[in-house]
Amino acid sequence: MTSYPGQGVPSYSGQPPPQAGYPPQGGAPGYPPQGGAPGYPPQGGAPGYPSQGGAPGYPPQGGAPGYPPQGAPGYPSQGGAPGYPSQGAPGYPPQGGAPGYPPQGGAPGYPPQGGAPAGAVPAYKGEVPSQDVRDDPNMAAPQASAPSLDMMDHLPGYDNIGFDGVSLPPPSYEESQREAPQRDNIESVPTISEEEARDALIQFVSEHCCYGKGPAEEMKFNDLNSSSAFHYTLETFGEGRSTKWAREPYKGQPVVVNGPPPGPWDIQAPPPAMFKTTKLDIEVPNTASVKPCHACFASGFQRCYRCHGRGRLFCTSCNGTGREHYYEQGERLHRQCVWCNGFGRKTCYTCSGSGQITCSECKGRANLRWFILLTIKWTNHVEDHIVERTALPDELIRGVSGQMAFEETQPRVWPINHFPEQEINSASNNLVHQHSSKFPSERMLMQRHRVRIVPVTQVFYKYKDDQDSFFVYGFEHKVHAPDYPAQCCCGCSIL
């Protein structure tokens, strides 16, 4: 293997080469050859230049003082797998069995190469490359794959548990005999006066900076046509449950197993609030166990994903050459790269040169605590129906208040059948019937339906020679006037 940083790389402490360009290995004229030209460090060991044979001041492959050789502490050498820590180097995990590092032969609690569980593979796979790699600043740490389900415990009632949430059908609901509720008569809503309609229009104009207020103050009202919009809403509050295997780094947490685990629907968990969507995670009792980390094979660390375990990277500033170009008085010159000090390589900043990083799964603990996670999600399913007979857009009715003409809350509601507007009765019957079977994976906890009566007034007016209308709706007296006659005041321009 070539020396590090490579043949033909100028010394980081010597003088720059006398000619521009890069020194070839064959000995181009004007550049010091490999055989030992005067003034240039040869391969045989000239001071101040890196050589293969052990030159002072540069790290040779054989172990010169001041540079980590193949077995030096804290540096990945070539003595074991290519480009990976050698066997027996102090301070670095060797392949032969140092404490805390998974050996090839099968240390206790570590799956050896000959018998790792199916699916249990490190988060970063492949052999350590024989050459340094280029840095990719956008590289992200890979995600560890899930272990094989064969490694997980088989618990009664949880036979089909995986690593993704699996929805569980709720227990059957036995509907008891219900009687139709007694319902009160529907009251009418108040109407607005001409003065209230004008005040609402003036307020509407003031909320639009380019609208002129003259028409709102001067227009003549010909007629006020009051009506009511009806807004029916059905809410079904359901509870869904799902389970999956979950894990966390084992830091000495208690692992208590007192018998078989309870069923997923046997765990009591009241909803925090009715008719409000929320979620809760619960560890299923008697399902916890401790297992070796599948991502690092119980070592607590993984091979560095950025440098692929070599501990160093090509210097991106000089592109691995050890020098950079600059111009002085129009002449192109070379000098030692200030980012790598002429080495052409830099210490990997992700692993700090060790070639390994803390395992992202176990956080260096070597073991994982596994358990079944129960996720309870309470969902409020809402559907509505609006009856509005004028030209006012229906969706505007949802955003305003009105008179609550009817409200009923029951575990199972009866469709409305007494409302004066038959379309509301029909909509209630359809929605209640749909919700009875629309959410088969949830347990229905409560239902609520309401009818709001929203006042709507269509105001017919005359302004100069124009005749038109606008709407005032809701208890807030909101205005819908798309054809207001003065929508651009003086000084405004449309680009």
Side-chain angles (χ1 to χ4, degrees):
M1 180 179 175
T2 57
S3 62
Y4 172 65
Q7 295 182 3
V9 180
S11 169
Y12 58 86
S13 60
Q15 298 296 324
Q19 291 187 5
Y22 189 77
Q25 296 184 358
Y31 194 83
Q34 296 181 1
Y40 191 81
Q43 294 183 358
Y49 188 74
S51 61
Q52 295 183 355
Y58 191 80
Q61 293 183 358
Y67 192 81
Q70 291 185 3
Y75 192 83
S77 58
Q78 301 177 356
Y84 201 71
S86 62
Q87 298 182 4
Y92 197 86
Q95 295 181 0
Y101 188 83
Q104 294 182 359
Y110 183 80
Q113 291 185 358
V121 294
Y124 191 88
K125 299 174 289 186
E127 296 181 356
V128 177
S130 59
Q131 299 292 331
D132 294 332
V133 297
R134 297 186 180 276
D135 183 23
D136 182 3
N138 299 320
M139 182 180 293
Q143 297 295 323
S145 59
S148 171
L149 287 175
D150 296 336
M151 298 176 55
M152 310 312 298
D153 299 334
H154 297 280
L155 302 172
Y158 296 89
D159 296 332
N160 298 322
I161 300 302
F163 301 107
D164 298 322
V166 177
S167 298
L168 306 170
S172 60
Y173 175 78
E174 296 181 0
E175 187 173 1
S176 59
Q177 287 294 113
R178 298 183 299 154
E179 296 182 358
Q182 298 294 325
R183 289 161 172 172
D184 298 330
N185 295 329
I186 306 300
E187 298 180 1
S188 60
V189 295
T191 59
I192 64 172
S193 63
E194 181 176 327
E195 182 179 358
E196 291 173 326
R198 189 178 300 277
D199 291 341
L201 183 60
I202 293 175
Q203 176 63 30
F204 168 76
V205 170
S206 67
E207 296 171 356
H208 295 74
C209 63
C210 291
Y211 282 22
K213 65 177 181 179
E217 296 175 343
E218 300 171 7
M219 66 175 52
K220 180 181 178 182
F221 292 166
N222 297 327
D223 190 17
L224 278 70
N225 187 3
S226 297
S227 61
S228 296
F230 306 104
H231 185 201
Y232 173 77
T233 304
L234 173 64
E235 299 173 83
T236 297
F237 187 61
E239 175 183 337
R241 298 194 175 195
S242 63
T243 54
K244 67 178 180 179
W245 281 108
R247 58 191 180 269
E248 62 184 1
Y250 180 61
K251 304 176 182 178
Q253 304 96 312
V255 179
V256 180
V257 178
N258 294 325
W265 286 98
D266 296 332
I267 299 175
Q268 299 299 317
M274 297 298 292
F275 301 105
K276 183 178 181 181
T277 298
T278 185
K279 187 175 72 171
L280 176 66
D281 290 332
I282 300 176
E283 178 182 334
V284 178
N286 300 330
T287 62
S289 62
V290 177
K291 300 181 184 299
C293 178
H294 63 281
C296 64
F297 288 170
S299 66
F301 53 84
Q302 299 166 309
R303 198 179 78 184
C304 178
Y305 63 89
R306 188 173 296 277
C307 67
H308 294 196
R310 293 187 59 83
R312 58 185 182 267
L313 297 164
F314 272 95
C315 176
T316 55
S317 179
C318 65
N319 200 27
T321 64
R323 59 182 183 170
E324 58 187 6
H325 304 290
Y326 72 100
Y327 290 89
E328 185 175 313
Q329 296 180 355
E331 184 179 0
R332 189 171 184 261
L333 303 176
H334 309 283
R335 62 187 173 194
Q336 174 183 300
C337 177
V338 298
W339 297 101
C340 64
N341 294 326
F343 280 92
R345 309 290 190 275
K346 295 191 299 183
T347 300
C348 177
Y349 51 87
T350 298
C351 63
S352 300
S354 67
Q356 62 186 20
I357 57 175
T358 302
C359 177
S360 58
E361 284 288 306
C362 65
K363 309 301 182 186
R365 300 286 178 165
N367 292 305
L368 296 172
R369 182 179 180 272
W370 287 89
F371 56 92
I372 293 179
L373 182 69
L374 171 66
T375 299
I376 306 176
K377 186 174 182 180
W378 292 280
T379 306
N380 191 36
H381 304 278
V382 182
E383 291 190 70
D384 65 350
H385 185 83
I386 296 174
V387 178
E388 210 287 307
R389 305 298 187 188
T390 69
L392 181 71
D394 290 350
E395 61 269 14
L396 297 179
I397 298 299
R398 294 188 179 95
V400 294
S401 61
Q403 177 177 306
M404 189 65 66
F406 171 81
E407 180 176 2
E408 189 175 80
T409 303
Q410 297 286 344
R412 298 291 188 276
V413 297
W414 283 83
I416 296 176
N417 54 12
H418 71 298
F419 203 77
E421 177 60 56
Q422 289 302 316
E423 187 175 340
I424 291 295
N425 295 333
S426 177
S428 175
N429 184 71
N430 292 335
L431 290 178
V432 170
H433 179 72
Q434 291 175 14
H435 278 216
S436 64
S437 58
K438 193 173 184 178
F439 315 106
S441 62
E442 298 182 12
R443 177 168 60 182
M444 192 183 301
L445 300 181
M446 196 68 65
Q447 285 187 308
R448 177 173 64 186
H449 56 170
R450 299 169 171 174
V451 178
R452 293 187 309 119
I453 303 179
V454 178
V456 177
T457 300
Q458 186 174 10
V459 181
F460 296 90
Y461 66 86
K462 180 179 181 181
Y463 177 70
K464 295 182 178 179
D465 296 331
D466 296 330
Q467 294 190 13
D468 212 324
S469 66
F470 64 91
F471 294 92
V472 181
Y473 59 99
F475 284 173
E476 298 87 351
H477 290 175
K478 291 288 185 179
V479 171
H480 177 66
D483 299 322
Y484 183 71
Q487 296 189 15
C488 285
C489 60
C490 296
C492 291
S493 60
I494 300 177
L495 298 179

